Amino acid sequence: DPRAESRRETWTRLAIVDAGIPAPVPQFEIELDGAVIFRLDHAYPDHRVAVEYDGEDFHHTDEQLEHDARRRAWLRDQGWRVIVVRNGDFTGQRLDVWLAELRYALRTAYSNLRW
């Protein structure tokens, strides 16, 4: 998908699809008062589930880590579940763990909505 912003984002999406999970929406924009405030690497907007790939080249400074924490806290406050995938999460048990977390989040999304 040409909307992917890195190879690892593509790997993340392909791991999801290869596991038999429906493909997420790449680069999904979150708007507030008509303005885009965040873009999610992968999203299931109807379920309020996001999968974010944190690459070592971008998500390693204290400033970026703090920004990511604030952004994800805001998303969680809005009822989103955020699953973070990192470089070593594409094989073995680590792959199984985040894919199981994604399956669970999608299955239980509506029982956790905040009204």
Side-chain angles (χ1 to χ4, degrees):
D1 188 302
R3 293 172 287 183
E5 292 184 343
S6 74
R7 287 183 179 160
R8 296 294 173 124
E9 285 183 17
T10 297
W11 287 15
T12 304
R13 188 184 72 258
L14 292 175
I16 292 168
V17 172
D18 286 349
I21 302 169
V25 177
Q27 303 306 320
F28 181 76
E29 295 177 340
I30 301 286
E31 294 184 7
L32 183 63
D33 299 326
V36 175
I37 59 169
F38 300 126
R39 200 171 58 225
L40 304 173
D41 294 340
H42 306 286
Y44 296 87
D46 293 341
H47 297 79
R48 288 190 175 227
V49 173
V51 179
E52 294 276 277
Y53 176 76
D54 279 3
E56 293 173 7
D57 53 336
F58 185 68
H59 298 273
H60 70 282
T61 66
D62 289 342
E63 181 180 335
Q64 187 60 46
L65 292 171
E66 186 177 318
H67 170 76
D68 288 344
R70 281 194 314 269
R71 178 175 172 269
R72 291 171 182 157
W74 185 89
L75 287 163
R76 288 182 180 111
D77 287 346
Q78 304 307 309
W80 283 81
R81 288 190 184 182
V82 181
I83 298 165
V84 178
V85 178
R86 294 184 176 83
N87 185 37
D89 294 342
F90 291 99
T91 60
Q93 185 176 4
R94 290 172 70 176
L95 174 66
D96 294 340
V97 166
W98 72 263
L99 288 172
E101 184 180 357
L102 176 57
R103 283 187 188 96
Y104 180 80
L106 293 172
R107 273 197 316 268
T108 62
Y110 293 110
S111 64
N112 294 308
L113 285 178
R114 298 176 188 170
W115 297 104

